[in-house]
Amino acid sequence: MAYRERTIGYHIPDQLPEAVNPWMNMDISDFLYHLWFDNHGKGLEGSWYEWKTLQEVFGDVTHVCMGGSPDRAQRFANTLHKDTYNISGNITVDPIWKTERFSLHKVWKTISVSHGMGMSSMSILLHEVSKMLYYAKWCDENRLRDEVSFIRMGTSGGLWGEEGEWLWVKAGTVVISESGVDEEGEERNTVWKNGQRWEYPTKLDEDLRQQISAANITEEVGKKINTVLWKTMGSGCFYEWQGRVDGFFDPGYTEEDKMKYLQELYDKGVRNIEMESGYFAAFCLRAGIPGAIVCVALLNRLQWDQVDASILPDISENAEKIVLNYLRKVQAI
Ligand code: R2B
Ligand code: URA
């Protein structure tokens, strides 16, 4: 029995990583609905991949880089392609098959894929991409765990101190997360199964985090980017769950309540807030796949709630720049 039910009413894992679903070894058709192909490559008809198996297409994958939006996944794939093959000018790396739900591109050994917004959307992508790679790695979970890393690159709201404090940094700072915490600031991700609560730890891979941090080198990323290695809160909503006061409803709390809450998170070591970290971190631990979260902070939430669109062109790709350089270093591209 891999899980223990606590008398306090929730399940916690007995061992990590977890066993994979034995169902996947039965060589029956497994349709990855949101990617729109199955474990035998069926569904790819009419595409460039039509006559290939999943092993042939994805057997060599070493990194899965994920970002929220299809545009971000497309831009990163284009950049990877130009960097890998030393090409200048415009290039578009076509997505693999359907893009209604997720947009998945492959450049040499790296996948660039969108995960949508929030843990619900991301959870679907993580299950299906992991199953896809399990099949592609000859149903060998050790190969999957040894050969593949998952990296989320995204945006977030930052939490940082006053000018003059060492932690004072401007928008554009990248947080490379140590763990994902929930709205109570706990390193825990809650999953509901059959109406019961299951709780998973959310520490991220230390080695991968350090390697990505070490890739922030002035000459290669253009200008050294401020980075912070601390905790990230993954929240269920952009507005109320992140303590914003600029949502549709009169929030039911004051600016002071909000500042108190954000300060409490800060005191627990949280330096940015986004919407996927808890599930992502727990999933990686459960799967035994090293995972990293690299997010640029678009604003300082201890000052204000609104995003200033005018500064985005200068900063929004900061996480990608560091990850691109990390991939160069490990020769994944
Ligand atoms: C960061 O940005 C998105 C919301 O704007 C969300 O996906 C996240 O985690
Ligand atoms: N994404 C979030 O989830 N929150 C922010 O404040 C900014 C981006």
Side-chain angles (χ1 to χ4, degrees), residues 83-115:
D83 206 80
T84 308
Y85 302 107
N86 210 5
I87 297 170
S88 54
N90 290 334
I91 164 100
T92 304
V93 179
D94 287 336
I96 296 180
W97 209 220
K98 299 265 185 185
T99 52
E100 272 98 333
R101 301 298 189 182
F102 301 114
S103 205
L104 188 143
H105 312 252
K106 182 169 183 267
V107 179
W108 193 27
K109 295 188 275 180
T110 300
I111 286 174
S112 173
V113 61
S114 60
H115 58 63

Short mmCIF file of all heavy atoms in Angstrom, two decimals, residues 83-115:
data_model
loop_
_atom_site.label_atom_id
_atom_site.label_comp_id
_atom_site.label_asym_id
_atom_site.label_seq_id
_atom_site.Cartn_x
_atom_site.Cartn_y
_atom_site.Cartn_z
N ASP A 83 18.73 28.98 -32.22
CA ASP A 83 19.93 28.80 -31.42
C ASP A 83 20.61 27.46 -31.72
O ASP A 83 21.81 27.37 -31.86
CB ASP A 83 19.54 28.87 -29.94
CG ASP A 83 20.69 29.32 -29.08
OD1 ASP A 83 20.93 30.54 -29.04
OD2 ASP A 83 21.36 28.46 -28.49
N THR A 84 19.81 26.42 -31.83
CA THR A 84 20.34 25.08 -32.06
C THR A 84 21.03 24.98 -33.41
O THR A 84 22.12 24.42 -33.54
CB THR A 84 19.20 24.03 -32.02
OG1 THR A 84 18.47 24.21 -30.83
CG2 THR A 84 19.74 22.61 -32.05
N TYR A 85 20.35 25.53 -34.42
CA TYR A 85 20.88 25.35 -35.78
C TYR A 85 21.58 26.60 -36.29
O TYR A 85 21.89 26.70 -37.48
CB TYR A 85 19.75 24.90 -36.71
CG TYR A 85 19.12 23.61 -36.22
CD1 TYR A 85 17.85 23.60 -35.64
CD2 TYR A 85 19.82 22.41 -36.27
CE1 TYR A 85 17.28 22.43 -35.15
CE2 TYR A 85 19.27 21.23 -35.77
CZ TYR A 85 18.00 21.24 -35.22
OH TYR A 85 17.45 20.08 -34.73
N ASN A 86 21.81 27.56 -35.38
CA ASN A 86 22.54 28.77 -35.72
C ASN A 86 21.96 29.49 -36.94
O ASN A 86 22.65 29.78 -37.91
CB ASN A 86 24.02 28.38 -35.97
CG ASN A 86 24.92 29.52 -35.61
OD1 ASN A 86 24.45 30.55 -35.10
ND2 ASN A 86 26.21 29.37 -35.90
N ILE A 87 20.68 29.74 -36.88
CA ILE A 87 19.98 30.36 -38.00
C ILE A 87 19.56 31.76 -37.57
O ILE A 87 19.10 31.95 -36.44
CB ILE A 87 18.70 29.54 -38.34
CG1 ILE A 87 19.08 28.15 -38.79
CG2 ILE A 87 17.86 30.25 -39.39
CD1 ILE A 87 17.88 27.22 -38.90
N SER A 88 19.70 32.74 -38.48
CA SER A 88 19.18 34.07 -38.14
C SER A 88 17.89 34.28 -38.93
O SER A 88 17.56 33.50 -39.82
CB SER A 88 20.21 35.13 -38.45
OG SER A 88 20.59 35.00 -39.78
N GLY A 89 17.18 35.34 -38.62
CA GLY A 89 15.94 35.63 -39.35
C GLY A 89 14.75 34.94 -38.72
O GLY A 89 14.84 34.32 -37.68
N ASN A 90 13.62 35.09 -39.42
CA ASN A 90 12.37 34.56 -38.85
C ASN A 90 12.21 33.08 -39.17
O ASN A 90 12.48 32.66 -40.28
CB ASN A 90 11.17 35.32 -39.41
CG ASN A 90 11.15 36.71 -38.86
OD1 ASN A 90 11.67 36.96 -37.77
ND2 ASN A 90 10.58 37.64 -39.62
N ILE A 91 11.77 32.36 -38.19
CA ILE A 91 11.53 30.93 -38.39
C ILE A 91 10.35 30.54 -37.52
O ILE A 91 10.19 31.05 -36.42
CB ILE A 91 12.80 30.10 -38.04
CG1 ILE A 91 12.48 28.62 -37.86
CG2 ILE A 91 13.48 30.51 -36.76
CD1 ILE A 91 12.82 27.84 -39.05
N THR A 92 9.50 29.67 -38.02
CA THR A 92 8.36 29.21 -37.22
C THR A 92 8.42 27.69 -37.10
O THR A 92 8.43 26.99 -38.12
CB THR A 92 7.02 29.60 -37.90
OG1 THR A 92 7.02 31.00 -38.08
CG2 THR A 92 5.83 29.19 -37.06
N VAL A 93 8.52 27.21 -35.87
CA VAL A 93 8.52 25.76 -35.64
C VAL A 93 7.06 25.32 -35.48
O VAL A 93 6.40 25.68 -34.51
CB VAL A 93 9.31 25.41 -34.35
CG1 VAL A 93 9.29 23.91 -34.10
CG2 VAL A 93 10.74 25.92 -34.45
N ASP A 94 6.57 24.56 -36.45
CA ASP A 94 5.15 24.16 -36.40
C ASP A 94 4.85 23.33 -35.17
O ASP A 94 5.64 22.47 -34.78
CB ASP A 94 4.80 23.33 -37.64
CG ASP A 94 4.71 24.19 -38.88
OD1 ASP A 94 4.47 25.41 -38.73
OD2 ASP A 94 4.92 23.66 -39.98
N PRO A 95 3.67 23.54 -34.58
CA PRO A 95 3.28 22.68 -33.46
C PRO A 95 3.01 21.26 -33.96
O PRO A 95 2.68 21.07 -35.13
CB PRO A 95 1.99 23.32 -32.94
CG PRO A 95 1.51 24.22 -34.02
CD PRO A 95 2.68 24.57 -34.88
N ILE A 96 3.17 20.28 -33.06
CA ILE A 96 2.88 18.90 -33.42
C ILE A 96 1.39 18.67 -33.23
O ILE A 96 0.88 18.69 -32.11
CB ILE A 96 3.71 17.92 -32.56
CG1 ILE A 96 5.19 18.13 -32.87
CG2 ILE A 96 3.28 16.48 -32.82
CD1 ILE A 96 6.13 17.24 -32.10
N TRP A 97 0.71 18.52 -34.31
CA TRP A 97 -0.70 18.19 -34.37
C TRP A 97 -1.59 19.26 -33.77
O TRP A 97 -1.33 20.44 -33.95
CB TRP A 97 -0.91 16.78 -33.80
CG TRP A 97 -2.09 16.08 -34.38
CD1 TRP A 97 -2.97 15.29 -33.70
CD2 TRP A 97 -2.54 16.10 -35.73
NE1 TRP A 97 -3.94 14.82 -34.54
CE2 TRP A 97 -3.71 15.31 -35.80
CE3 TRP A 97 -2.09 16.73 -36.91
CZ2 TRP A 97 -4.43 15.12 -36.98
CZ3 TRP A 97 -2.80 16.54 -38.07
CH2 TRP A 97 -3.95 15.73 -38.09
N LYS A 98 -2.63 18.86 -33.05
CA LYS A 98 -3.71 19.79 -32.69
C LYS A 98 -3.24 20.86 -31.70
O LYS A 98 -2.42 20.58 -30.85
CB LYS A 98 -4.86 19.04 -32.04
CG LYS A 98 -5.49 18.00 -32.91
CD LYS A 98 -6.70 18.53 -33.61
CE LYS A 98 -7.37 17.40 -34.39
NZ LYS A 98 -8.48 17.84 -35.19
N THR A 99 -3.85 22.03 -31.81
CA THR A 99 -3.47 23.10 -30.88
C THR A 99 -4.68 23.65 -30.13
O THR A 99 -4.58 24.69 -29.48
CB THR A 99 -2.78 24.25 -31.63
OG1 THR A 99 -3.63 24.64 -32.71
CG2 THR A 99 -1.43 23.85 -32.18
N GLU A 100 -5.81 22.97 -30.21
CA GLU A 100 -7.00 23.51 -29.53
C GLU A 100 -6.76 23.69 -28.04
O GLU A 100 -7.18 24.67 -27.43
CB GLU A 100 -8.21 22.57 -29.68
CG GLU A 100 -9.03 22.81 -30.91
CD GLU A 100 -8.61 21.83 -31.99
OE1 GLU A 100 -7.44 21.39 -31.97
OE2 GLU A 100 -9.45 21.53 -32.85
N ARG A 101 -6.10 22.68 -27.43
CA ARG A 101 -5.94 22.69 -25.98
C ARG A 101 -4.54 23.10 -25.58
O ARG A 101 -4.35 23.95 -24.71
CB ARG A 101 -6.25 21.30 -25.41
CG ARG A 101 -7.64 20.82 -25.70
CD ARG A 101 -8.69 21.72 -25.08
NE ARG A 101 -10.01 21.13 -25.19
CZ ARG A 101 -11.10 21.71 -24.77
NH1 ARG A 101 -11.05 22.91 -24.23
NH2 ARG A 101 -12.27 21.11 -24.89
N PHE A 102 -3.55 22.43 -26.13
CA PHE A 102 -2.15 22.73 -25.82
C PHE A 102 -1.38 22.83 -27.12
O PHE A 102 -1.73 22.18 -28.10
CB PHE A 102 -1.55 21.62 -24.94
CG PHE A 102 -2.27 21.41 -23.65
CD1 PHE A 102 -2.96 20.23 -23.40
CD2 PHE A 102 -2.29 22.40 -22.67
CE1 PHE A 102 -3.64 20.02 -22.21
CE2 PHE A 102 -2.97 22.21 -21.48
CZ PHE A 102 -3.64 21.02 -21.24
N SER A 103 -0.34 23.60 -27.11
CA SER A 103 0.47 23.77 -28.31
C SER A 103 1.85 23.18 -28.03
O SER A 103 2.58 23.68 -27.19
CB SER A 103 0.55 25.28 -28.57
OG SER A 103 0.78 25.53 -29.90
N LEU A 104 2.17 22.08 -28.73
CA LEU A 104 3.38 21.33 -28.39
C LEU A 104 4.35 21.34 -29.58
O LEU A 104 3.97 20.98 -30.70
CB LEU A 104 2.97 19.89 -28.04
CG LEU A 104 4.05 18.97 -27.48
CD1 LEU A 104 3.45 18.05 -26.41
CD2 LEU A 104 4.66 18.10 -28.56
N HIS A 105 5.57 21.79 -29.32
CA HIS A 105 6.60 21.87 -30.37
C HIS A 105 7.79 21.05 -29.91
O HIS A 105 8.05 20.92 -28.72
CB HIS A 105 7.08 23.31 -30.56
CG HIS A 105 5.97 24.30 -30.67
ND1 HIS A 105 5.63 24.92 -31.85
CD2 HIS A 105 5.12 24.80 -29.74
CE1 HIS A 105 4.61 25.74 -31.64
NE2 HIS A 105 4.29 25.69 -30.36
N LYS A 106 8.54 20.54 -30.89
CA LYS A 106 9.76 19.83 -30.50
C LYS A 106 10.93 20.39 -31.31
O LYS A 106 10.84 20.51 -32.53
CB LYS A 106 9.62 18.34 -30.75
CG LYS A 106 10.86 17.55 -30.31
CD LYS A 106 10.59 16.06 -30.30
CE LYS A 106 11.81 15.30 -29.80
NZ LYS A 106 12.68 14.86 -30.88
N VAL A 107 12.00 20.73 -30.59
CA VAL A 107 13.22 21.17 -31.24
C VAL A 107 14.34 20.28 -30.72
O VAL A 107 14.69 20.32 -29.53
CB VAL A 107 13.54 22.65 -30.92
CG1 VAL A 107 14.83 23.07 -31.61
CG2 VAL A 107 12.39 23.54 -31.34
N TRP A 108 14.88 19.49 -31.58
CA TRP A 108 15.87 18.48 -31.23
C TRP A 108 15.40 17.68 -30.02
O TRP A 108 14.42 16.97 -30.11
CB TRP A 108 17.26 19.13 -31.09
CG TRP A 108 18.36 18.08 -31.03
CD1 TRP A 108 18.32 16.83 -31.58
CD2 TRP A 108 19.64 18.20 -30.39
NE1 TRP A 108 19.50 16.17 -31.34
CE2 TRP A 108 20.32 16.97 -30.61
CE3 TRP A 108 20.26 19.20 -29.66
CZ2 TRP A 108 21.61 16.74 -30.09
CZ3 TRP A 108 21.54 18.97 -29.16
CH2 TRP A 108 22.20 17.75 -29.38
N LYS A 109 16.06 17.80 -28.84
CA LYS A 109 15.65 16.96 -27.72
C LYS A 109 14.76 17.69 -26.71
O LYS A 109 14.51 17.21 -25.62
CB LYS A 109 16.90 16.43 -27.00
CG LYS A 109 17.72 15.49 -27.88
CD LYS A 109 18.85 14.83 -27.12
CE LYS A 109 20.08 15.70 -27.07
NZ LYS A 109 21.21 15.10 -26.35
N THR A 110 14.32 18.90 -27.08
CA THR A 110 13.53 19.71 -26.15
C THR A 110 12.11 19.90 -26.65
O THR A 110 11.91 20.20 -27.83
CB THR A 110 14.21 21.08 -25.95
OG1 THR A 110 15.51 20.87 -25.42
CG2 THR A 110 13.43 21.95 -24.99
N ILE A 111 11.16 19.76 -25.74
CA ILE A 111 9.77 20.08 -26.06
C ILE A 111 9.45 21.45 -25.48
O ILE A 111 9.85 21.76 -24.36
CB ILE A 111 8.83 19.01 -25.43
CG1 ILE A 111 8.91 17.71 -26.24
CG2 ILE A 111 7.40 19.52 -25.37
CD1 ILE A 111 8.14 16.56 -25.62
N SER A 112 8.77 22.27 -26.27
CA SER A 112 8.25 23.54 -25.77
C SER A 112 6.74 23.45 -25.88
O SER A 112 6.21 23.29 -26.99
CB SER A 112 8.80 24.69 -26.63
OG SER A 112 8.18 25.90 -26.25
N VAL A 113 6.05 23.53 -24.77
CA VAL A 113 4.60 23.29 -24.79
C VAL A 113 3.87 24.27 -23.89
O VAL A 113 4.41 24.71 -22.86
CB VAL A 113 4.30 21.81 -24.38
CG1 VAL A 113 4.77 21.48 -22.96
CG2 VAL A 113 2.85 21.45 -24.55
N SER A 114 2.64 24.62 -24.27
CA SER A 114 1.84 25.51 -23.41
C SER A 114 1.06 24.65 -22.42
O SER A 114 0.72 23.50 -22.72
CB SER A 114 0.88 26.33 -24.26
OG SER A 114 0.00 25.48 -24.96
N HIS A 115 0.78 25.22 -21.23
CA HIS A 115 0.00 24.46 -20.25
C HIS A 115 -1.28 25.16 -19.84
O HIS A 115 -2.02 24.68 -18.98
CB HIS A 115 0.84 24.12 -19.01
CG HIS A 115 1.41 25.31 -18.29
ND1 HIS A 115 0.63 26.27 -17.70
CD2 HIS A 115 2.70 25.68 -18.08
CE1 HIS A 115 1.43 27.19 -17.15
NE2 HIS A 115 2.69 26.86 -17.37
#
